[in-house]
Amino acid sequence: MEKLDRFDIAILKILQHDNFTPQRDIGQKIGLSAAAVQRRVKRMKAEGVIQRNVSVINREKIGRPITLFVEVIMESEKAEFIDSTKAIFRTTPEVQQCYYVTGDADFMLIIVVPTMHDYELLTRRIFFGNNYIKHFRTMVAMDLVKVGLDVSLDAIVL
Amino acid sequence: MEKLDRFDIAILKILQHDNFTPQRDIGQKIGLSAAAVQRRVKRMKAEGVIQRNVSVINREKIGRPITLFVEVIMESEKAEFIDSTKAIFRTTPEVQQCYYVTGDADFMLIIVVPTMHDYELLTRRIFFGNNYIKHFRTMVAMDLVKVGLDVSLDAIVL
DNA sequence: ATAAAAGTGAAACAAAATTGCACAAAAGCC
DNA sequence: GGCTTTTGTGCAATTTTGTTTCACTTTTAT
C-alpha cells in the first residue's frame, strides 16, 4: 500500500472522473504547479495506483443493450475446476466482469449482450458445456442505476 | 443507436483498452490519418458513444481491499420506494455499482470498502435504516477475476 | 546544526491534439 | 447519365498539452 498525500487523493478524484483534464487545470484546482501534477501522476502510474486509463463506451449506442447478472454455483470447489472456469470467463468477451465469491454462489458475472437470444446461445456455450457448473441463476438489469469503477476517496486516512 | 463503420469500431476497441494511445498511433494501426481519427473520436464523444474517459484506480493500493456483492430484496415494488432507494445507492460513495434487476432480487450492488467493519457500519446506515428493504444477502469477493466496463466489439454487425 | 533527499515553480522544450484548406468519394436530385 | 451537395479525407499550420530542466525551498535524518 502506497502512501498518498492530500494532493494525490485530489488528483485521483479528478482523474477517475475525467482523465482528460489538463494537468494545468488540475494544478490550479488543487493548488499545485502543472509540473508537480505531472510528476505525481507519473509516479502513481508507475506504482500501479492508477491501474489503467480507459474510455467507457455506451453499451446501448453500440447495440449491446442487455446487461445480466449471473450467479454461478459449482459442483465442487476443487482448485482445478475453479481455475479452468475462471479462465473461460476471463476470455469470454461478453463477460464484462467476473468475481470469485464466498457465500451462496461461487461466481458472480456481469454479462453484456445484444439480445436475450445471444444470451441463450452464450449460456449453452459457457454454462451447459461446463460439467463443473451445478447451476446458475440469472437476473436481468432493468436500470443501470450506477455504473463505474470509482473508488470512494473521501475518507482516506492521511 | 448510432451507425459506426469498421474504423469507428477499431478506434473504440483501442480506446476502451487505453485512451492515452496517441491518435497518430491509432491512425497508423487502422490505416487512417491522425486528423481523421481525431474527428471520429470527437464525433463519438458528441454522440455519447464514448460516454466518459476515466482512470481506473487500484482499490487495494489505496486501502479499499474489500469488494462485496449485495442482493437487495424490497418489501414492495412501489415506484416511490424504488426511486428513493435508488437515490440513496447512487449517492453513497462506497456503492461502486448499482443495478435495478428482475429475478430473485431487486437490486444488485457492488460495494468497495476498507474493512469488513466499515461494511457493517454501512449496512446499518443504508440497509437497516431503510424500512422498504426486506432483506439483503452479501457475498464477499475473493478474487477479482475480471473487472472492467469493456463491451465486446468483436461481432459488431456493420 | 548541518547535509542529504525530496519536492516545488517557472521556463524552455517536445509531443500531441486541433484546425484550416484543398481535394476526393459517396449520396441525393433533376 | 450528369450535376450538386454532403461527407470524409490527408497534409500542413497552429495551438494546446505534456515533459524536462534547473535553481530554489522544504523536509528528513544524522
Side-chain angles (χ1 to χ4, degrees):
Chain A
M1 163 133 179
E2 321 294 333
K3 55 188 178 320
L4 307 168
D5 63 16
R6 67 190 185 84
F7 291 117
D8 293 323
I9 301 297
I11 291 169
L12 291 177
K13 269 194 201 179
I14 293 170
L15 292 184
Q16 84 171 342
H17 177 255
D18 176 12
N19 69 1
F20 277 12
T21 312
Q23 295 176 341
R24 287 155 206 231
D25 296 2
I26 297 175
Q28 186 153 24
K29 193 164 291 182
I30 68 178
L32 226 52
S33 74
V37 173
Q38 138 75 16
R39 281 185 289 257
R40 285 165 179 271
V41 171
K42 185 179 179 181
R43 172 178 53 77
M44 291 192 284
K45 275 184 191 168
E47 290 172 346
V49 173
I50 297 174
Q51 244 172 345
R52 48 214 184 89
N53 288 285
V54 302
S55 294
V56 179
I57 293 166
N58 187 327
R59 57 194 83 184
E60 294 177 6
K61 300 236 176 186
I62 61 160
R64 302 273 183 285
I66 312 283
T67 300
L68 304 153
F69 275 80
V70 186
E71 283 183 27
V72 179
I73 288 106
M74 304 292 286
E75 285 286 0
S76 124
E77 309 256 346
K78 265 196 182 164
E80 179 195 349
F81 303 155
I82 297 295
D83 289 345
S84 71
T85 303
K86 276 185 191 177
I88 291 166
F89 293 153
R90 199 182 280 116
T91 56
T92 302
E94 293 89 343
V95 177
Q96 183 188 68
Q97 302 177 51
C98 169
Y99 303 81
Y100 181 50
V101 299
T102 66
D104 298 312
D106 293 305
F107 286 102
M108 284 293 322
L109 307 179
I110 299 181
I111 289 178
V112 178
V113 286
T115 67
M116 284 306 286
H117 178 62
D118 292 295
Y119 178 57
E120 198 210 327
L121 296 179
L122 184 68
T123 60
R124 292 189 196 179
R125 238 173 52 230
I126 64 175
F127 298 143
F128 293 117
N130 185 330
N131 287 324
Y132 313 139
I133 293 177
K134 187 192 276 179
H135 81 273
F136 62 95
R137 207 161 63 110
T138 304
M139 286 170 283
V140 183
M142 291 185 292
D143 185 13
L144 311 184
V145 180
K146 188 179 194 177
V147 178
L149 296 176
D150 298 35
V151 174
S152 122
L153 292 165
D154 290 315
I156 289 272
V157 186
L158 300 178
Chain B
M1 164 138 179
E2 319 295 332
K3 54 186 177 327
L4 306 168
D5 63 17
R6 66 189 186 83
F7 291 117
D8 293 323
I9 302 296
I11 291 170
L12 291 176
K13 270 194 199 179
I14 293 171
L15 291 184
Q16 82 172 343
H17 176 256
D18 176 12
N19 69 2
F20 277 13
T21 312
Q23 295 176 340
R24 289 157 205 236
D25 296 1
I26 298 175
Q28 186 151 22
K29 193 163 290 181
I30 68 179
L32 227 52
S33 74
V37 174
Q38 139 74 18
R39 282 186 286 258
R40 283 165 179 273
V41 171
K42 185 179 178 182
R43 173 178 54 77
M44 290 193 284
K45 276 184 192 166
E47 290 172 347
V49 172
I50 298 173
Q51 244 171 347
R52 48 213 185 91
N53 288 285
V54 302
S55 294
V56 179
I57 293 165
N58 188 326
R59 59 193 84 183
E60 294 176 5
K61 299 235 175 186
I62 61 160
R64 302 273 183 287
I66 313 283
T67 300
L68 304 152
F69 275 80
V70 187
E71 283 183 26
V72 179
I73 288 106
M74 304 293 286
E75 285 286 359
S76 121
E77 309 256 346
K78 264 197 184 164
E80 177 194 349
F81 303 155
I82 297 295
D83 289 345
S84 71
T85 303
K86 276 185 191 177
I88 291 165
F89 293 153
R90 197 181 284 116
T91 56
T92 301
E94 293 90 343
V95 176
Q96 184 189 68
Q97 300 176 52
C98 169
Y99 303 81
Y100 181 51
V101 299
T102 65
D104 298 313
D106 293 305
F107 287 101
M108 285 293 320
L109 307 179
I110 298 181
I111 289 179
V112 177
V113 286
T115 67
M116 284 306 285
H117 178 61
D118 291 295
Y119 178 56
E120 198 211 328
L121 296 179
L122 183 67
T123 59
R124 292 189 196 178
R125 236 172 54 227
I126 64 175
F127 298 143
F128 293 116
N130 185 331
N131 288 324
Y132 313 138
I133 294 177
K134 186 194 276 179
H135 82 273
F136 63 96
R137 207 160 64 110
T138 303
M139 288 171 283
V140 182
M142 292 185 292
D143 185 12
L144 311 185
V145 180
K146 188 179 195 176
V147 179
L149 297 176
D150 298 33
V151 174
S152 124
L153 292 165
D154 291 314
I156 289 269
V157 185
L158 301 178

